Amino acid sequence: MQNPDHDPAGRFAPRVLSVIVPAYNEQEVLPEFHRRLSEVIALLPMSAEIVYVNDGSTDGTLQVIQDLRKHDARVTIIDLSRNFGKEIALTAGLDHAQGDAVVVIDADLQDPPEVIPELIRHWEKGYDVVYAKRTAREGETFMKKATAHVFYVVMQSLARVKIPADTGDFRLLSRRAVDSLKQIREQHRFMKGLFAWIGYPQMAVPYRRDPRFAGETKWNYWRLWNFALEGFTSFTIAPLKAAGYMGMLIAMAAFFYAAIIVFKTLMFGDPVRGYPTMMVTMLFLGGVQLLAIGILGEYVGRMFNESKNRPLYLTNSYSPAKSILEYEERDKRVSLGL
Ligand code: UDP
Ligand code: MG
């Protein structure tokens, strides 16, 4: 299983790891995050770039990462023009990352950076996507875990792409995988699904998910519900089909019921009765129709958004890591034979 992206013999070309960190109002955690990540990266046999994507934070996040960049030549900053949401922030990071391998990690230290060397070991064996699989989720409510579980069960039975359960966005991607992802420009981006969609050799590495180090989660149940909806509508049209089948079943039942009514009327005459039955039938059908229209609406709305063909995000600025610039200089000199 040899992956053309990397060369285990390691030519003189330096191998670079990019770590993408989407950050939305994370000023409290970022210094500690950077410290822990730097410790891990220092031990790696490759150079690194740390891509902070400021997703329109309203606190001092941008200032914090700018300070980090002053003292650390490996820091790249992408400053988005407003809050676009984590999925888009990740996409911006993937678009700009220069590494031969790219790690995606949350800023809040729920994904321990100490797992990264393990991810890299599997990448070196030739896997394109090495995802970290949670064995424990500390500091999360039973309700959140239960709803997540239901989501994965439904998703796995409906969608053709198998999305691994208990997996966040924390993972390593090979250059080939990143380039493939970059070709996907849809507006509604369910990243976990897209990571699975690209295929290639994939591998799971178990880890313990820690509680958030500081700051607050940006997810509430309403956002999670919308996230799940995004997942379903991006990866399966089963709900549309279900609406169709439900309509067919109800129509068939109605046909038989009509036959019974005609039969009864002929046999026993037509006393005015059946008001409750009529109400129930009408309300039920009305409800089913509205539901089906709602499902249609979810898909039509997404088609509407896609058809506008807007850029996925806009940036205030992109400041590449100084270390990468140096490497490019050196590469140029090497290829010129200087
Ligand atoms: N995030 C982001 N944009 C958003 C929301 C979140 O870039 O609009 C980042 C956030 O800074 C963090 C990661 O996405 O690095 C995960 O967010 P969070 O911890 O709130 O999610 P949870 O771990 O609760 O699923
Ligand atoms: Mg978190």
Side-chain angles (χ1 to χ4, degrees):
M1 196 190 317
Q2 219 24 270
N3 171 340
D5 274 1
H6 71 271
D7 168 12
R11 292 159 303 178
F12 59 67
R15 279 163 54 199
V16 181
L17 170 76
S18 294
V19 181
I20 299 178
V21 192
Y24 174 55
N25 294 348
E26 302 282 10
Q27 61 177 9
E28 296 97 350
V29 261
L30 279 171
E32 172 66 9
F33 171 82
H34 192 77
R35 194 190 60 74
R36 264 178 65 186
L37 181 65
S38 303
E39 271 178 16
V40 172
I41 286 176
L43 302 175
L44 293 176
M46 59 205 302
S47 56
E49 165 199 36
I50 306 171
V51 184
Y52 286 109
V53 185
N54 176 34
D55 187 14
S57 302
T58 49
D59 66 353
T61 297
L62 182 61
Q63 190 56 50
V64 172
I65 50 184
Q66 277 169 346
D67 287 346
L68 290 174
R69 185 163 185 270
K70 272 189 208 126
H71 301 116
D72 191 336
R74 298 167 305 187
V75 172
T76 292
I77 301 177
I78 303 168
D79 185 24
L80 299 185
S81 63
R82 63 169 169 86
N83 178 255
F84 281 92
K86 183 185 179 188
E87 316 276 303
I88 298 282
L90 275 184
T91 308
L94 289 172
D95 286 346
H96 290 85
Q98 316 225 16
D100 306 301
V102 175
V103 166
V104 173
I105 189 169
D106 282 0
D108 58 6
L109 287 171
Q110 278 193 290
D111 308 331
E114 291 74 22
V115 179
I116 293 177
E118 179 79 14
L119 301 181
I120 291 179
R121 261 197 295 284
H122 291 286
W123 168 64
E124 284 175 333
K125 280 191 232 151
Y127 289 99
D128 285 276
V129 180
V130 188
Y131 54 90
K133 199 171 160 70
R134 311 181 266 248
T135 53
R137 300 174 91 171
E138 302 272 330
E140 289 192 7
T141 60
F142 170 77
M143 205 38 201
K144 186 161 176 189
K145 285 184 250 187
T147 43
H149 180 72
V150 171
F151 169 75
Y152 283 113
V153 169
V154 177
M155 193 72 195
Q156 300 214 332
S157 55
L158 291 185
R160 282 187 57 203
V161 170
K162 291 294 163 243
I163 297 171
D166 285 328
T167 309
D169 291 324
F170 186 23
R171 66 189 64 217
L172 180 144
L173 303 159
S174 67
R175 179 39 52 191
R176 170 169 82 163
V178 172
D179 288 342
S180 308
L181 277 171
K182 278 162 75 173
Q183 292 176 32
I184 304 177
R185 302 314 286 178
E186 53 197 56
Q187 301 280 338
H188 291 273
R189 314 176 70 78
F190 181 66
M191 288 310 273
K192 274 182 241 204
L194 299 182
F195 289 139
W197 183 88
I198 57 170
Y200 298 133
Q202 308 211 352
M203 167 84 192
V205 169
Y207 80 110
R208 285 180 70 86
R209 187 158 168 90
D210 295 326
R212 209 171 216 292
F213 178 75
E216 279 176 6
T217 174
K218 279 96 206 168
W219 297 95
N220 51 37
Y221 280 107
W222 178 241
R223 269 185 98 154
L224 279 175
W225 162 248
N226 280 309
F227 185 65
L229 213 57
E230 200 78 288
F232 290 134
T233 50
S234 301
F235 279 88
T236 169
I237 53 166
L240 287 178
K241 290 189 185 158
Y245 288 126
M246 199 155 59
M248 214 160 75
L249 278 179
I250 291 173
M252 259 151 59
F255 181 77
F256 285 118
Y257 188 50
I260 293 172
I261 290 176
V262 169
F263 176 73
K264 268 166 87 177
T265 316
L266 290 179
M267 295 298 285
F268 310 111
D270 185 21
V272 180
R273 269 190 313 179
Y275 174 73
T277 348
M278 207 167 79
M279 272 318 273
V280 168
T281 320
M282 268 171 58
L283 287 178
F284 175 68
L285 280 182
V288 168
Q289 280 171 5
L290 281 180
L291 180 73
I293 294 175
I295 295 172
L296 264 180
E298 290 291 335
Y299 285 91
V300 173
R302 279 171 176 76
M303 280 165 60
F304 172 64
N305 283 339
E306 297 295 346
S307 65
K308 284 186 285 197
N309 221 352
R310 291 185 184 155
L312 292 177
Y313 57 85
L314 297 172
T315 52
N316 288 328
S317 64
Y318 164 57
S319 328
K322 294 172 202 138
S323 61
I324 298 261
L325 296 175
E326 277 164 26
Y327 270 121
E328 282 174 357
E329 275 299 303
R330 198 186 311 166
D331 258 8
K332 232 180 277 165
R333 283 202 301 272
V334 167
S335 61
L336 292 173
L338 298 174

